[in-house]
Amino acid sequence: MLPSSHILAVVINVVFVKVLLTFPKAVVENSANAAWIQILYVSIIAFLFFSAVIKMYNIKKNIIEVAEIKYGKTAKIIVGLIVIAILILNLFPTIRIYPETVKTVLLKDTNTEIIIIAMAAAVIAGAKVGIEAIARIHRIFLPVAAIILVFFMVFLIPFYRIEYVMPVFGKGINEVFFKGLRGLSLFSDLIILNILVPYCKNMEVVRKCTKISIAVTGISATVITLIYCLTFSYPASENFIIPMYQMARLVHLSSFFSRFEAFFEFIWSIMILLYSAMYLFMICYAVQITFSLKYLKPLILPMGVIVFMISLLPDSVMDMLEIEKIIINYSFIPVFVLFLIFGIICKKMEKK
Amino acid sequence: MRKLLLIPLLITLFISGCFGDEPNDTAYVAALGVDSAENGNYNITIQFARPTQISGGSSEEGGKGGEGIVENISIEAPDIYSALNIANHIVSKKFSLSHAKLVVFSSEMAKNGISDIMETLGRSDEIRPDLICAVSRETAREYLKNAQPLVELNPAKYYQLIYEDNESGGVPKKTGLETIFEISGGYRDTVMPLSGVAKADDESEAPVNENGFQYKTHNYKAGEVKLLQKDKSEVLGMAVFSGDRLVGELGETEADIYNILTGSFKDNYTSFYNEKNPQKAVTVEVSQRHKPVYKIDKKKELVKIKLYLEGNLYSMPFDYSTENEIEKFEEETAREISRKCKEFIFLMRDEYDADVLGIGEKVRGKFLNLKSFEDYNVKEKFKKYNIEVETKFKIRHSGIIYKKERK
């Protein structure tokens, strides 16, 4: 059983990590300088959707277990495979883009493969120590990251230009509010919370964590995207691969304090390693319950190797970015549909 | 588990430490000069620091400082990185741009467009956002050859002080990153500081201001101030761009007006005309109380600019008492600043077709989406706009003397 504060820290981190990477770029490409409105809008929709759907879940089981209870083992395996596929699709762009970015900005002379191997070792070791340890480190580290991010936003104040967020609706209402629905993929990682249900004390904890995590990540993502739009004028803002890194480079307080990206890289690396370790553990856990395996730990190394090998399939960062764009555009659909379907199933089971 | 703990221990023992390029093996570029060459190539001048001259190397006397602290090499290449690649075969150390502080373009080259070079600078992860971009009236190579820091040990610090931290104005205040984005596809045109090389014995060509703002002061451009020292480089005035092409070179007075209109004017000693004693200028330390306020009326096609300036009296004729007519002086000065600002805006709009004040960006707020803004074609429409500039100017202090004429 995990304390609710630990679960909350895990869920906030897994959702927020996207904002540290390429997600703001994808949103700016869609809505231009109205990207922050799009994020605010999808956050409100996600909050309303999950608040409504989570009420239907009254059994302390995740969707894979519910599928087995309701429709038997075959259904469990099908649902389990869908969940595993979603988890792998959510994880693999991160574990490719992060080391590639580290190579570009930090370790130019090191081969990407070596960085990926180092990252894989850290992630596999992290997953091996188990969910309690990962969740505890999330709980310890998240406040530190939050403090650094607040400083980051304050230091950027001299660069804010209000005219950069004009016109208010950027590329237009259609792009922001209709095509912009694709931004719901920011919350597709909430599937982790559903899989974590057996680790929660009761369903009330799950409901509370769902609402708080969406509120916190929605507000944080909106604020981060807003400061990005305030700092860089469109169309320049749609060209940066890692917007947060680009903003961190700007911080310059006289000659005494510059190169803030060193702090940023510190929180960036730890958050991404925690995210990846958590995700790897969750993939193995999903495999374990899908195929009714007795042990989880022996799965971590082979599964880690498989996931990292998948991440190496795209030939270049540009190819990876194109694949990630497709994932960002559509990954929310299966997650939201699964949540809705199994919410309805849980409700029916409760009535019976 | 204990065996597992050995892994981090071994990592700390064997993998921690310095990898990659040692500082001793690196040549830090302080400035880059870009001139045009034949076949569409560029003449890239790389100015790099000589650490042994700065620190003294193995000698016991310490660094020499002065002119020896930098060295220049010029290479013809298709871009900056190709030039660095060749330079790495000429100088024993490996060049790094991570401390580069200045990129200077020759005016001749800038007239043909600099977007290609700007693209390289914007893409580079080595180049810092606080890089300074400037235009040289001579070749960039000539400028860098003459830029010999006399009172600085650190060449990057020299460029930072002379271009950025110089509060006496005369050059536009703008970061390199802003310049890069404005050149490569922003909604506003850019300006850059103007640099040049002094011609020591020549008569100055700079005209003397005969009107109120910077009264009786030469409107110098870089290279026009007479110098009798070894460092012949100068930074004064501003280069105006329309798109990625240089369209005009203006003097220090216009650079001050630009800074006033963009809200980056800092404590600057400014001389003003006064009606009572036109022979002598009154010098005031002028600063901006807060940023200018732009009000744009799209329907009336009107831009109203409100400026808020204040000053401290610093110098005036001996037999003259400004304090007695302070309000009149303030009004005269405010009127003069407004007039000069309007002149500047018309010059940019009508002669140079350059939106250096970002009026286009400010108009964006009047639209709901980018398409309707782009359809509006602000640059063309702005040509019909009326401009109103209102300046509020207040003298706050009179130094440590307060003289009042007895009646």
Side-chain angles (χ1 to χ4, degrees):
Chain A
M1 227 39 69
L2 294 172
S4 60
S5 61
H6 291 193
I7 292 176
L8 191 59
V10 166
V11 180
I12 289 174
N13 188 45
V14 292
V15 177
F16 189 71
V17 154
K18 277 204 180 92
V19 182
L20 294 179
L21 288 167
T22 55
F23 193 76
K25 174 185 161 64
V27 190
V28 170
E29 276 177 11
N30 182 74
S31 305
N33 43 301
W36 67 279
I37 297 179
Q38 187 194 335
I39 302 241
L40 184 63
Y41 164 69
V42 295
S43 301
I44 293 168
I45 289 181
F47 187 84
L48 296 175
F49 175 84
F50 283 104
S51 299
V53 168
I54 207 73
K55 275 185 192 164
M56 299 188 219
Y57 285 84
N58 285 310
I59 314 161
K60 212 190 114 192
K61 302 272 180 211
N62 60 36
I63 52 180
I64 303 171
E65 291 165 331
V66 173
E68 186 181 20
I69 295 167
K70 181 74 181 168
Y71 301 108
K73 277 193 175 174
T74 317
K76 181 181 79 167
I77 291 171
I78 294 168
V79 174
L81 288 174
I82 294 170
V83 170
I84 293 163
I86 293 170
L87 291 174
I88 291 175
L89 282 175
N90 278 345
L91 175 64
F92 98 96
T94 305
I95 57 176
R96 175 66 187 272
I97 290 171
Y98 169 72
E100 293 280 8
T101 315
V102 167
K103 179 183 167 61
T104 311
V105 302
L106 284 174
L107 304 170
K108 278 177 215 154
D109 299 333
T110 312
N111 286 334
T112 312
E113 289 77 6
I114 292 175
I115 303 171
I116 290 178
I117 289 168
M119 185 188 176
V123 169
I124 290 167
K128 278 257 186 200
V129 294
I131 190 162
E132 286 85 3
I134 302 172
R136 203 176 302 128
I137 298 169
H138 270 93
R139 174 68 186 84
I140 295 166
F141 186 70
L142 213 64
V144 178
I147 291 166
I148 293 177
L149 282 173
V150 168
F151 274 111
F152 171 76
M153 285 184 249
V154 172
F155 291 153
L156 280 171
I157 288 174
F159 298 94
Y160 297 165
R161 302 278 180 277
I162 197 76
E163 55 260 35
Y164 288 173
V165 287
M166 302 292 173
V168 177
F169 292 115
K171 283 191 179 174
I173 286 171
N174 184 41
E175 269 73 9
V176 177
F177 295 110
F178 296 103
K179 286 187 185 168
L181 281 173
R182 295 183 292 203
L184 281 169
S185 58
L186 175 65
F187 299 99
S188 60
D189 300 87
L190 279 176
I191 198 162
I192 289 275
L193 182 59
N194 186 282
I195 302 165
L196 276 172
V197 165
Y199 287 96
C200 298
K201 197 176 166 190
N202 52 46
M203 284 311 288
E204 202 43 51
V205 170
V206 178
R207 286 192 198 101
K208 198 177 91 180
C209 288
T210 306
K211 287 180 188 172
I212 296 175
S213 62
I214 295 175
V216 171
T217 50
I219 292 168
S220 316
T222 306
V223 171
I224 295 283
T225 315
L226 176 62
I227 65 166
Y228 180 50
C229 294
L230 282 168
T231 312
F232 291 106
S233 172
Y234 180 82
S237 56
E238 71 175 355
N239 297 332
F240 302 122
I241 295 177
I242 310 285
M244 286 282 282
Y245 172 74
Q246 199 66 29
M247 286 194 282
R249 292 184 78 208
L250 285 182
V251 175
H252 183 81
L253 304 176
S254 185
S255 314
F256 304 104
F257 190 80
S258 58
R259 306 200 181 224
F260 186 76
E261 63 264 33
F263 285 96
F264 172 70
E265 277 149 13
F266 168 68
I267 59 159
W268 188 42
S269 302
I270 295 184
M271 286 174 88
I272 288 171
L273 288 173
L274 286 173
Y275 165 93
S276 308
M278 187 69 205
Y279 246 96
L280 181 60
F281 185 89
M282 282 292 115
I283 291 170
C284 296
Y285 179 60
V287 172
Q288 185 195 14
I289 53 175
T290 302
F291 299 104
S292 307
L293 302 175
K294 198 174 176 185
Y295 299 107
L296 183 147
K297 283 199 174 173
L299 293 173
I300 290 173
L301 180 63
M303 195 50 79
V305 172
I306 291 170
V307 174
F308 275 92
M309 291 308 283
I310 293 174
S311 78
L312 284 169
L313 289 178
D315 286 335
S316 65
V317 185
M318 288 81 78
D319 290 346
M320 188 69 246
L321 289 173
E322 290 303 318
I323 294 168
E324 198 203 20
K325 199 189 266 181
I326 298 166
I327 294 171
I328 284 179
N329 284 343
Y330 302 107
S331 68
F332 73 96
I333 297 171
V335 175
F336 279 58
V337 168
L338 275 179
F339 262 95
L340 187 62
I341 290 172
F342 281 90
I344 294 166
I345 291 169
C346 286
K347 193 78 187 163
K348 281 183 181 172
M349 282 166 71
E350 190 198 359
K351 277 181 188 171
K352 280 180 186 175
Chain B
M1 195 64 191
R2 282 185 183 174
K3 281 178 192 169
L4 277 177
L5 285 173
L6 278 173
I7 296 172
L9 190 67
L10 289 172
I11 287 173
T12 49
L13 278 175
F14 296 110
I15 304 183
S16 60
C18 296
F19 290 93
D21 301 319
E22 292 286 336
N24 273 346
D25 304 333
T26 308
Y28 290 103
V29 176
L32 287 165
V34 188
D35 296 303
S36 48
E38 286 176 4
N39 309 322
N41 277 357
Y42 301 104
N43 268 326
I44 309 280
T45 303
I46 301 163
Q47 183 176 80
F48 58 99
R50 294 172 69 194
T52 49
Q53 295 298 307
I54 295 170
S55 66
S58 55
S59 80
E60 291 176 1
E61 292 161 10
K64 287 179 186 169
E67 53 193 297
I69 63 171
V70 287
E71 187 65 62
N72 298 316
I73 49 171
S74 286
I75 289 154
E76 190 194 315
D79 59 56
I80 290 170
Y81 281 97
S82 305
L84 286 178
N85 199 31
I86 298 167
N88 283 331
H89 298 289
I90 299 168
V91 175
S92 57
K93 294 175 191 281
K94 189 181 173 190
F95 283 97
S96 164
L97 290 176
S98 58
H99 290 268
K101 198 70 198 166
L102 173 72
V103 173
V104 58
F105 302 93
S106 69
S107 58
E108 182 215 346
M109 185 239 159
K111 280 174 190 161
N112 297 321
I114 55 170
S115 49
D116 292 343
I117 294 287
M118 284 304 195
E119 208 276 340
T120 310
L121 297 177
R123 190 178 289 273
S124 168
D125 58 289
E126 273 186 289
I127 300 265
R128 302 293 305 165
D130 57 350
L131 174 89
I132 301 154
C133 298
V135 168
S136 168
R137 301 183 74 198
E138 285 75 29
T139 60
R141 180 184 179 177
E142 187 77 4
Y143 171 73
L144 290 178
K145 204 174 89 185
N146 282 280
Q148 302 288 350
L150 291 179
V151 288
E152 288 298 331
L153 275 178
N154 179 347
K157 184 79 181 168
Y158 166 74
Y159 290 122
Q160 185 192 332
L161 287 173
I162 204 158
Y163 280 92
E164 272 184 351
D165 298 345
N166 187 348
E167 291 194 348
S168 57
V171 288
K173 308 286 182 199
K174 195 171 265 285
T175 67
L177 197 73
E178 284 174 318
T179 314
I180 289 166
F181 295 136
E182 284 165 8
I183 291 275
S184 48
Y187 284 110
R188 72 193 286 174
D189 294 304
T190 202
V191 296
M192 290 185 197
L194 197 59
S195 48
V197 179
K199 299 158 196 76
D201 301 324
D202 290 350
E203 281 291 311
S204 174
E205 298 162 5
V208 176
N209 287 318
E210 292 297 346
N211 49 38
F213 187 82
Q214 291 290 20
Y215 181 53
K216 284 191 174 288
T217 309
H218 283 272
N219 187 12
Y220 285 121
K221 291 175 195 166
E224 290 177 349
V225 183
K226 281 194 266 182
L227 287 177
L228 297 169
Q229 59 173 31
K230 281 180 183 174
D231 182 2
K232 302 285 182 202
S233 66
E234 291 176 12
V235 185
L236 264 179
M238 69 179 203
V240 181
F241 283 76
S242 179
D244 75 329
R245 286 164 201 273
L246 175 73
V247 289
E249 292 173 9
L250 298 172
E252 57 168 317
T253 309
E254 286 83 6
D256 286 340
I257 294 294
Y258 170 82
N259 287 335
I260 289 175
L261 284 165
T262 51
S264 47
F265 193 72
K266 281 186 182 171
D267 314 327
N268 189 334
Y269 300 110
T270 311
S271 52
F272 287 101
Y273 171 86
N274 69 91
E275 238 176 30
K276 196 176 172 188
N277 190 351
Q279 299 304 314
K280 299 280 180 183
V282 173
T283 302
V284 179
E285 186 197 40
V286 182
S287 55
Q288 225 154 356
R289 220 181 321 158
H290 53 83
K291 295 221 170 211
V293 176
Y294 285 74
K295 282 191 179 165
I296 297 167
D297 192 327
K298 202 164 57 117
K299 279 184 189 161
K300 289 182 186 166
E301 299 192 327
L302 175 70
V303 178
K304 271 188 181 177
I305 305 168
K306 277 192 177 179
L307 303 169
Y308 302 90
L309 296 155
E310 60 184 23
N312 303 325
L313 283 175
Y314 261 73
S315 168
M316 66 181 83
F318 180 73
D319 57 347
Y320 179 75
S321 169
T322 310
E323 283 94 338
N324 283 340
E325 294 176 58
I326 202 86
E327 282 180 12
K328 199 176 172 200
F329 175 74
E330 285 169 352
E331 276 170 28
E332 258 179 41
T333 306
R335 202 167 43 242
E336 198 49 48
I337 293 171
S338 299
R339 189 186 65 77
K340 202 77 187 159
C341 287
K342 272 179 85 167
E343 253 181 45
F344 177 85
I345 295 169
F346 288 131
L347 178 73
M348 290 297 119
R349 186 185 74 177
D350 302 332
E351 200 165 311
Y352 294 136
D353 191 27
D355 177 16
V356 295
L357 299 175
I359 302 285
E361 275 181 351
K362 290 176 175 75
V363 175
R364 284 206 305 192
K366 304 283 170 191
F367 295 86
L368 277 180
N369 58 55
L370 282 167
K371 189 176 181 311
S372 55
F373 166 70
E374 276 157 11
D375 291 345
Y376 182 71
N377 194 358
V378 67
K379 217 166 185 178
E380 280 308 307
K381 287 276 187 342
F382 180 56
K383 285 179 181 165
K384 295 177 200 157
Y385 270 54
N386 285 320
I387 312 289
E388 283 180 15
V389 183
E390 188 191 330
T391 306
K392 290 199 170 166
F393 180 73
K394 189 80 196 155
I395 295 288
R396 295 277 176 206
H397 300 279
S398 58
I400 55 168
I401 287 178
Y402 178 66
K403 337 185 253 190
K404 207 163 187 177
E405 253 176 32
R406 284 184 193 141
K407 287 179 184 172

